[in-house]
Amino acid sequence: IGGGKARASTGGDGAAGGHDGAEGLEVLRKEDVNTLKSLAKPPAVVEQLMDLVCLLLNEPTGWAHSRKVLANIGAFIQRLSALDRAAVSPEHLATVRAALAHPELAPAAVKRISGSASGLAAWLHHFAAVPVPAAPASPSADAAP
């Protein structure tokens, strides 16, 4: 976890078994997770991403619960690492994939709104085996945490 290059996607429909959560986690930094959990009222995109993560983890959605999921950073990252794509319900995976098809949830678009959430967006795309859509054009703005 931390720096390093992202690994290649498993490709295909992502139906392969194994602990797929560990792949792609190098883009998720502990300090970013710490920043996210400290947000009292995060940008909508951060809430959306965490709702998708909670869905994959079979947890209730909503920011109040997301903060509980993020509370123990080490446990959160371990849960993502141990997450097996084959164990996620097809309905939940379909919901996540449909949401991630929207350009505003592409890592580059997320980074413009919350630099701390871009790694989470990248991990979600990798885990769900969703091609990253082109980010919508927007005026230049510094990325906020």
mmCIF file of all heavy atoms in Angstrom, residues 1 21 25 28-30 32-34 36-37 49-50 52-54 57 59 65-83 119-120 123-124:
data_model
loop_
_atom_site.group_PDB
_atom_site.id
_atom_site.type_symbol
_atom_site.label_atom_id
_atom_site.label_comp_id
_atom_site.label_asym_id
_atom_site.label_seq_id
_atom_site.Cartn_x
_atom_site.Cartn_y
_atom_site.Cartn_z
ATOM 1 N N ILE A 1 0.857 -1.168 0.000
ATOM 2 C CA ILE A 1 0.000 0.000 0.000
ATOM 3 C C ILE A 1 0.895 1.220 0.000
ATOM 4 O O ILE A 1 1.866 1.265 0.703
ATOM 5 C CB ILE A 1 -0.905 0.004 1.249
ATOM 6 C CG1 ILE A 1 -1.582 -1.284 1.211
ATOM 7 C CG2 ILE A 1 -1.785 1.205 1.264
ATOM 8 C CD1 ILE A 1 -2.593 -1.771 1.923
ATOM 9 N N GLY A 21 -9.346 -8.307 -4.190
ATOM 10 C CA GLY A 21 -9.243 -7.027 -3.504
ATOM 11 C C GLY A 21 -7.821 -6.557 -3.317
ATOM 12 O O GLY A 21 -7.560 -5.356 -3.314
ATOM 13 N N LEU A 25 -4.474 -2.343 -4.706
ATOM 14 C CA LEU A 25 -4.495 -1.595 -3.444
ATOM 15 C C LEU A 25 -3.318 -0.646 -3.288
ATOM 16 O O LEU A 25 -3.359 0.238 -2.442
ATOM 17 C CB LEU A 25 -4.516 -2.559 -2.254
ATOM 18 C CG LEU A 25 -5.883 -2.858 -1.672
ATOM 19 C CD1 LEU A 25 -5.760 -3.807 -0.496
ATOM 20 C CD2 LEU A 25 -6.645 -1.631 -1.267
ATOM 21 N N LEU A 28 -4.089 3.002 -2.939
ATOM 22 C CA LEU A 28 -4.821 3.479 -1.767
ATOM 23 C C LEU A 28 -3.830 3.711 -0.627
ATOM 24 O O LEU A 28 -3.224 2.778 -0.118
ATOM 25 C CB LEU A 28 -5.876 2.439 -1.366
ATOM 26 C CG LEU A 28 -6.900 2.864 -0.345
ATOM 27 C CD1 LEU A 28 -7.695 4.065 -0.830
ATOM 28 C CD2 LEU A 28 -7.834 1.714 -0.053
ATOM 29 N N ARG A 29 -3.671 4.973 -0.235
ATOM 30 C CA ARG A 29 -2.694 5.323 0.797
ATOM 31 C C ARG A 29 -3.393 5.525 2.143
ATOM 32 O O ARG A 29 -4.487 6.088 2.205
ATOM 33 C CB ARG A 29 -1.939 6.588 0.402
ATOM 34 C CG ARG A 29 -1.190 6.442 -0.907
ATOM 35 C CD ARG A 29 -0.500 7.696 -1.375
ATOM 36 N NE ARG A 29 -1.154 8.894 -0.917
ATOM 37 C CZ ARG A 29 -0.516 10.046 -0.671
ATOM 38 N NH1 ARG A 29 0.766 10.138 -0.849
ATOM 39 N NH2 ARG A 29 -1.190 11.108 -0.268
ATOM 40 N N LYS A 30 -2.733 5.071 3.213
ATOM 41 C CA LYS A 30 -3.312 5.186 4.551
ATOM 42 C C LYS A 30 -3.609 6.636 4.917
ATOM 43 O O LYS A 30 -4.637 6.927 5.522
ATOM 44 C CB LYS A 30 -2.377 4.566 5.589
ATOM 45 C CG LYS A 30 -2.344 3.069 5.555
ATOM 46 C CD LYS A 30 -1.463 2.501 6.642
ATOM 47 C CE LYS A 30 -1.490 0.985 6.575
ATOM 48 N NZ LYS A 30 -0.709 0.382 7.656
ATOM 49 N N ASP A 32 -4.477 8.998 2.956
ATOM 50 C CA ASP A 32 -5.690 9.419 2.251
ATOM 51 C C ASP A 32 -6.939 8.896 2.955
ATOM 52 O O ASP A 32 -7.931 9.617 3.096
ATOM 53 C CB ASP A 32 -5.671 8.943 0.799
ATOM 54 C CG ASP A 32 -4.647 9.688 -0.052
ATOM 55 O OD1 ASP A 32 -4.228 10.803 0.340
ATOM 56 O OD2 ASP A 32 -4.269 9.156 -1.113
ATOM 57 N N VAL A 33 -6.886 7.645 3.395
ATOM 58 C CA VAL A 33 -8.024 7.074 4.129
ATOM 59 C C VAL A 33 -8.241 7.858 5.419
ATOM 60 O O VAL A 33 -9.376 8.169 5.791
ATOM 61 C CB VAL A 33 -7.811 5.571 4.417
ATOM 62 C CG1 VAL A 33 -8.931 5.013 5.284
ATOM 63 C CG2 VAL A 33 -7.700 4.789 3.114
ATOM 64 N N ASN A 34 -7.159 8.230 6.083
ATOM 65 C CA ASN A 34 -7.257 9.018 7.308
ATOM 66 C C ASN A 34 -7.925 10.361 7.034
ATOM 67 O O ASN A 34 -8.785 10.808 7.809
ATOM 68 C CB ASN A 34 -5.871 9.218 7.918
ATOM 69 C CG ASN A 34 -5.950 9.779 9.314
ATOM 70 O OD1 ASN A 34 -6.720 9.304 10.140
ATOM 71 N ND2 ASN A 34 -5.158 10.804 9.577
ATOM 72 N N LEU A 36 -10.029 11.024 4.568
ATOM 73 C CA LEU A 36 -11.441 10.773 4.253
ATOM 74 C C LEU A 36 -12.262 10.558 5.515
ATOM 75 O O LEU A 36 -13.353 11.111 5.655
ATOM 76 C CB LEU A 36 -11.575 9.565 3.325
ATOM 77 C CG LEU A 36 -11.000 9.741 1.918
ATOM 78 C CD1 LEU A 36 -11.118 8.431 1.145
ATOM 79 C CD2 LEU A 36 -11.669 10.877 1.181
ATOM 80 N N LYS A 37 -11.752 9.763 6.449
ATOM 81 C CA LYS A 37 -12.540 9.462 7.648
ATOM 82 C C LYS A 37 -12.707 10.680 8.542
ATOM 83 O O LYS A 37 -13.625 10.736 9.336
ATOM 84 C CB LYS A 37 -11.950 8.291 8.422
ATOM 85 C CG LYS A 37 -10.755 8.627 9.269
ATOM 86 C CD LYS A 37 -10.356 7.455 10.130
ATOM 87 C CE LYS A 37 -9.263 7.868 11.088
ATOM 88 N NZ LYS A 37 -8.993 6.876 12.080
ATOM 89 N N LEU A 49 -18.576 7.056 -3.537
ATOM 90 C CA LEU A 49 -17.544 6.015 -3.576
ATOM 91 C C LEU A 49 -17.617 5.123 -2.341
ATOM 92 O O LEU A 49 -17.542 3.896 -2.449
ATOM 93 C CB LEU A 49 -16.152 6.642 -3.699
ATOM 94 C CG LEU A 49 -15.843 7.330 -5.014
ATOM 95 C CD1 LEU A 49 -14.528 8.099 -4.910
ATOM 96 C CD2 LEU A 49 -15.799 6.326 -6.164
ATOM 97 N N MET A 50 -17.783 5.728 -1.183
ATOM 98 C CA MET A 50 -17.860 4.925 0.038
ATOM 99 C C MET A 50 -19.135 4.097 0.081
ATOM 100 O O MET A 50 -19.117 2.978 0.596
ATOM 101 C CB MET A 50 -17.715 5.803 1.285
ATOM 102 C CG MET A 50 -16.270 6.118 1.630
ATOM 103 S SD MET A 50 -15.197 4.635 1.800
ATOM 104 C CE MET A 50 -16.010 3.747 3.126
ATOM 105 N N LEU A 52 -20.416 2.703 -2.482
ATOM 106 C CA LEU A 52 -20.084 1.556 -3.337
ATOM 107 C C LEU A 52 -19.181 0.571 -2.599
ATOM 108 O O LEU A 52 -19.378 -0.642 -2.678
ATOM 109 C CB LEU A 52 -19.426 2.030 -4.635
ATOM 110 C CG LEU A 52 -20.305 2.881 -5.541
ATOM 111 C CD1 LEU A 52 -19.505 3.396 -6.733
ATOM 112 C CD2 LEU A 52 -21.548 2.124 -5.997
ATOM 113 N N VAL A 53 -18.211 1.090 -1.855
ATOM 114 C CA VAL A 53 -17.335 0.218 -1.066
ATOM 115 C C VAL A 53 -18.168 -0.536 -0.026
ATOM 116 O O VAL A 53 -18.013 -1.755 0.136
ATOM 117 C CB VAL A 53 -16.204 1.023 -0.388
ATOM 118 C CG1 VAL A 53 -15.465 0.181 0.643
ATOM 119 C CG2 VAL A 53 -15.228 1.565 -1.426
ATOM 120 N N CYS A 54 -19.042 0.176 0.660
ATOM 121 C CA CYS A 54 -19.885 -0.471 1.673
ATOM 122 C C CYS A 54 -20.771 -1.543 1.047
ATOM 123 O O CYS A 54 -20.965 -2.614 1.638
ATOM 124 C CB CYS A 54 -20.724 0.568 2.419
ATOM 125 S SG CYS A 54 -19.759 1.551 3.595
ATOM 126 N N LEU A 57 -18.690 -4.538 0.586
ATOM 127 C CA LEU A 57 -18.372 -5.153 1.883
ATOM 128 C C LEU A 57 -19.620 -5.664 2.602
ATOM 129 O O LEU A 57 -19.527 -6.153 3.728
ATOM 130 C CB LEU A 57 -17.642 -4.138 2.777
ATOM 131 C CG LEU A 57 -16.263 -3.695 2.303
ATOM 132 C CD1 LEU A 57 -15.739 -2.575 3.195
ATOM 133 C CD2 LEU A 57 -15.289 -4.866 2.253
ATOM 134 N N GLU A 59 -22.039 -3.891 3.832
ATOM 135 C CA GLU A 59 -22.262 -3.001 4.975
ATOM 136 C C GLU A 59 -23.358 -2.017 4.610
ATOM 137 O O GLU A 59 -23.578 -1.728 3.429
ATOM 138 C CB GLU A 59 -20.980 -2.205 5.280
ATOM 139 C CG GLU A 59 -19.826 -3.023 5.810
ATOM 140 C CD GLU A 59 -19.891 -3.235 7.308
ATOM 141 O OE1 GLU A 59 -20.793 -2.677 7.967
ATOM 142 O OE2 GLU A 59 -19.032 -3.957 7.818
ATOM 143 N N HIS A 65 -22.206 5.624 8.569
ATOM 144 C CA HIS A 65 -21.676 4.260 8.651
ATOM 145 C C HIS A 65 -20.322 4.153 7.942
ATOM 146 O O HIS A 65 -19.440 3.423 8.405
ATOM 147 C CB HIS A 65 -22.656 3.239 8.082
ATOM 148 C CG HIS A 65 -22.225 1.839 8.395
ATOM 149 N ND1 HIS A 65 -22.393 1.270 9.637
ATOM 150 C CD2 HIS A 65 -21.569 0.919 7.645
ATOM 151 C CE1 HIS A 65 -21.865 0.055 9.642
ATOM 152 N NE2 HIS A 65 -21.361 -0.177 8.440
ATOM 153 N N SER A 66 -20.155 4.880 6.853
ATOM 154 C CA SER A 66 -18.868 4.854 6.142
ATOM 155 C C SER A 66 -17.731 5.275 7.061
ATOM 156 O O SER A 66 -16.643 4.698 7.029
ATOM 157 C CB SER A 66 -18.908 5.769 4.919
ATOM 158 O OG SER A 66 -19.761 5.245 3.935
ATOM 159 N N ARG A 67 -17.980 6.282 7.887
ATOM 160 C CA ARG A 67 -16.938 6.726 8.823
ATOM 161 C C ARG A 67 -16.588 5.617 9.812
ATOM 162 O O ARG A 67 -15.433 5.468 10.204
ATOM 163 C CB ARG A 67 -17.383 7.980 9.562
ATOM 164 C CG ARG A 67 -17.362 9.199 8.630
ATOM 165 C CD ARG A 67 -17.731 10.458 9.336
ATOM 166 N NE ARG A 67 -16.584 10.920 10.122
ATOM 167 C CZ ARG A 67 -16.636 11.951 10.941
ATOM 168 N NH1 ARG A 67 -17.763 12.608 11.114
ATOM 169 N NH2 ARG A 67 -15.568 12.327 11.606
ATOM 170 N N LYS A 68 -17.577 4.819 10.214
ATOM 171 C CA LYS A 68 -17.306 3.686 11.102
ATOM 172 C C LYS A 68 -16.452 2.638 10.391
ATOM 173 O O LYS A 68 -15.556 2.052 10.980
ATOM 174 C CB LYS A 68 -18.609 3.061 11.600
ATOM 175 C CG LYS A 68 -19.387 3.955 12.549
ATOM 176 C CD LYS A 68 -20.710 3.343 12.938
ATOM 177 C CE LYS A 68 -21.511 4.305 13.792
ATOM 178 N NZ LYS A 68 -22.855 3.805 14.081
ATOM 179 N N VAL A 69 -16.770 2.402 9.110
ATOM 180 C CA VAL A 69 -16.001 1.431 8.317
ATOM 181 C C VAL A 69 -14.553 1.911 8.169
ATOM 182 O O VAL A 69 -13.619 1.111 8.211
ATOM 183 C CB VAL A 69 -16.663 1.215 6.935
ATOM 184 C CG1 VAL A 69 -15.778 0.403 6.005
ATOM 185 C CG2 VAL A 69 -18.025 0.547 7.094
ATOM 186 N N LEU A 70 -14.367 3.217 8.019
ATOM 187 C CA LEU A 70 -13.035 3.803 7.840
ATOM 188 C C LEU A 70 -12.283 4.002 9.158
ATOM 189 O O LEU A 70 -11.081 4.269 9.137
ATOM 190 C CB LEU A 70 -13.147 5.165 7.151
ATOM 191 C CG LEU A 70 -13.633 5.181 5.710
ATOM 192 C CD1 LEU A 70 -13.961 6.609 5.281
ATOM 193 C CD2 LEU A 70 -12.596 4.563 4.790
ATOM 194 N N ALA A 71 -12.968 3.872 10.289
ATOM 195 C CA ALA A 71 -12.387 4.206 11.595
ATOM 196 C C ALA A 71 -11.059 3.513 11.862
ATOM 197 O O ALA A 71 -10.104 4.138 12.314
ATOM 198 C CB ALA A 71 -13.378 3.912 12.709
ATOM 199 N N ASN A 72 -10.984 2.231 11.594
ATOM 200 C CA ASN A 72 -9.741 1.491 11.782
ATOM 201 C C ASN A 72 -9.137 1.293 10.393
ATOM 202 O O ASN A 72 -9.542 0.400 9.650
ATOM 203 C CB ASN A 72 -10.014 0.146 12.456
ATOM 204 C CG ASN A 72 -8.747 -0.638 12.711
ATOM 205 O OD1 ASN A 72 -7.772 -0.559 11.977
ATOM 206 N ND2 ASN A 72 -8.761 -1.427 13.772
ATOM 207 N N ILE A 73 -8.180 2.146 10.060
ATOM 208 C CA ILE A 73 -7.622 2.161 8.708
ATOM 209 C C ILE A 73 -7.015 0.817 8.333
ATOM 210 O O ILE A 73 -7.240 0.301 7.237
ATOM 211 C CB ILE A 73 -6.588 3.294 8.563
ATOM 212 C CG1 ILE A 73 -7.274 4.641 8.756
ATOM 213 C CG2 ILE A 73 -5.896 3.234 7.199
ATOM 214 C CD1 ILE A 73 -6.323 5.810 8.895
ATOM 215 N N GLY A 74 -6.251 0.236 9.240
ATOM 216 C CA GLY A 74 -5.621 -1.058 8.958
ATOM 217 C C GLY A 74 -6.654 -2.139 8.678
ATOM 218 O O GLY A 74 -6.517 -2.926 7.734
ATOM 219 N N ALA A 75 -7.716 -2.182 9.482
ATOM 220 C CA ALA A 75 -8.774 -3.176 9.282
ATOM 221 C C ALA A 75 -9.511 -2.916 7.973
ATOM 222 O O ALA A 75 -9.872 -3.861 7.259
ATOM 223 C CB ALA A 75 -9.750 -3.156 10.458
ATOM 224 N N PHE A 76 -9.743 -1.637 7.637
ATOM 225 C CA PHE A 76 -10.418 -1.291 6.390
ATOM 226 C C PHE A 76 -9.606 -1.786 5.191
ATOM 227 O O PHE A 76 -10.136 -2.461 4.301
ATOM 228 C CB PHE A 76 -10.623 0.228 6.315
ATOM 229 C CG PHE A 76 -11.149 0.704 4.993
ATOM 230 C CD1 PHE A 76 -12.443 0.401 4.585
ATOM 231 C CD2 PHE A 76 -10.355 1.472 4.154
ATOM 232 C CE1 PHE A 76 -12.935 0.847 3.364
ATOM 233 C CE2 PHE A 76 -10.837 1.926 2.940
ATOM 234 C CZ PHE A 76 -12.130 1.614 2.540
ATOM 235 N N ILE A 77 -8.331 -1.490 5.198
ATOM 236 C CA ILE A 77 -7.474 -1.903 4.075
ATOM 237 C C ILE A 77 -7.378 -3.424 4.020
ATOM 238 O O ILE A 77 -7.404 -4.019 2.945
ATOM 239 C CB ILE A 77 -6.096 -1.216 4.165
ATOM 240 C CG1 ILE A 77 -6.291 0.288 3.885
ATOM 241 C CG2 ILE A 77 -5.102 -1.836 3.188
ATOM 242 C CD1 ILE A 77 -5.080 1.143 4.093
ATOM 243 N N GLN A 78 -7.324 -4.088 5.167
ATOM 244 C CA GLN A 78 -7.302 -5.549 5.194
ATOM 245 C C GLN A 78 -8.590 -6.124 4.610
ATOM 246 O O GLN A 78 -8.556 -7.103 3.864
ATOM 247 C CB GLN A 78 -7.085 -6.056 6.626
ATOM 248 C CG GLN A 78 -7.128 -7.567 6.760
ATOM 249 C CD GLN A 78 -6.093 -8.275 5.888
ATOM 250 O OE1 GLN A 78 -4.978 -7.807 5.706
ATOM 251 N NE2 GLN A 78 -6.477 -9.409 5.321
ATOM 252 N N ARG A 79 -9.714 -5.512 4.934
ATOM 253 C CA ARG A 79 -10.998 -6.000 4.389
ATOM 254 C C ARG A 79 -11.022 -5.854 2.869
ATOM 255 O O ARG A 79 -11.511 -6.740 2.169
ATOM 256 C CB ARG A 79 -12.166 -5.225 5.001
ATOM 257 C CG ARG A 79 -12.441 -5.628 6.440
ATOM 258 C CD ARG A 79 -13.657 -4.927 6.982
ATOM 259 N NE ARG A 79 -14.870 -5.517 6.406
ATOM 260 C CZ ARG A 79 -16.074 -5.001 6.560
ATOM 261 N NH1 ARG A 79 -16.240 -3.885 7.248
ATOM 262 N NH2 ARG A 79 -17.126 -5.593 6.020
ATOM 263 N N LEU A 80 -10.521 -4.729 2.367
ATOM 264 C CA LEU A 80 -10.469 -4.554 0.913
ATOM 265 C C LEU A 80 -9.527 -5.576 0.289
ATOM 266 O O LEU A 80 -9.828 -6.160 -0.753
ATOM 267 C CB LEU A 80 -10.017 -3.137 0.549
ATOM 268 C CG LEU A 80 -10.923 -1.983 0.959
ATOM 269 C CD1 LEU A 80 -10.378 -0.671 0.405
ATOM 270 C CD2 LEU A 80 -12.360 -2.200 0.535
ATOM 271 N N SER A 81 -8.411 -5.807 0.935
ATOM 272 C CA SER A 81 -7.424 -6.758 0.423
ATOM 273 C C SER A 81 -7.985 -8.175 0.369
ATOM 274 O O SER A 81 -7.706 -8.928 -0.568
ATOM 275 C CB SER A 81 -6.182 -6.720 1.316
ATOM 276 O OG SER A 81 -5.232 -7.661 0.892
ATOM 277 N N ALA A 82 -8.772 -8.541 1.378
ATOM 278 C CA ALA A 82 -9.311 -9.899 1.460
ATOM 279 C C ALA A 82 -10.576 -10.085 0.629
ATOM 280 O O ALA A 82 -11.042 -11.212 0.455
ATOM 281 C CB ALA A 82 -9.601 -10.245 2.922
ATOM 282 N N LEU A 83 -11.120 -8.999 0.109
ATOM 283 C CA LEU A 83 -12.383 -9.079 -0.616
ATOM 284 C C LEU A 83 -12.232 -9.915 -1.887
ATOM 285 O O LEU A 83 -11.337 -9.695 -2.692
ATOM 286 C CB LEU A 83 -12.871 -7.668 -0.967
ATOM 287 C CG LEU A 83 -14.296 -7.545 -1.464
ATOM 288 C CD1 LEU A 83 -15.287 -8.093 -0.451
ATOM 289 C CD2 LEU A 83 -14.607 -6.080 -1.745
ATOM 290 N N GLY A 119 -7.529 7.458 -5.042
ATOM 291 C CA GLY A 119 -7.036 6.088 -4.905
ATOM 292 C C GLY A 119 -8.171 5.104 -4.665
ATOM 293 O O GLY A 119 -8.160 3.986 -5.179
ATOM 294 N N LEU A 120 -9.158 5.529 -3.902
ATOM 295 C CA LEU A 120 -10.326 4.685 -3.651
ATOM 296 C C LEU A 120 -11.099 4.464 -4.954
ATOM 297 O O LEU A 120 -11.527 3.348 -5.242
ATOM 298 C CB LEU A 120 -11.222 5.336 -2.595
ATOM 299 C CG LEU A 120 -12.366 4.501 -2.055
ATOM 300 C CD1 LEU A 120 -11.857 3.219 -1.394
ATOM 301 C CD2 LEU A 120 -13.171 5.317 -1.059
ATOM 302 N N TRP A 123 -9.132 1.983 -7.006
ATOM 303 C CA TRP A 123 -9.283 0.620 -6.495
ATOM 304 C C TRP A 123 -10.649 0.055 -6.886
ATOM 305 O O TRP A 123 -10.748 -1.097 -7.310
ATOM 306 C CB TRP A 123 -9.110 0.571 -4.973
ATOM 307 C CG TRP A 123 -9.298 -0.819 -4.458
ATOM 308 C CD1 TRP A 123 -8.356 -1.808 -4.415
ATOM 309 C CD2 TRP A 123 -10.530 -1.404 -3.997
ATOM 310 N NE1 TRP A 123 -8.929 -2.982 -3.942
ATOM 311 C CE2 TRP A 123 -10.256 -2.758 -3.678
ATOM 312 C CE3 TRP A 123 -11.814 -0.917 -3.822
ATOM 313 C CZ2 TRP A 123 -11.228 -3.620 -3.190
ATOM 314 C CZ3 TRP A 123 -12.796 -1.776 -3.337
ATOM 315 C CH2 TRP A 123 -12.493 -3.107 -3.025
ATOM 316 N N LEU A 124 -11.695 0.855 -6.735
ATOM 317 C CA LEU A 124 -13.032 0.385 -7.100
ATOM 318 C C LEU A 124 -13.093 -0.017 -8.569
ATOM 319 O O LEU A 124 -13.642 -1.071 -8.909
ATOM 320 C CB LEU A 124 -14.082 1.467 -6.821
ATOM 321 C CG LEU A 124 -14.619 1.516 -5.402
ATOM 322 C CD1 LEU A 124 -15.309 2.847 -5.135
ATOM 323 C CD2 LEU A 124 -15.565 0.356 -5.136
#
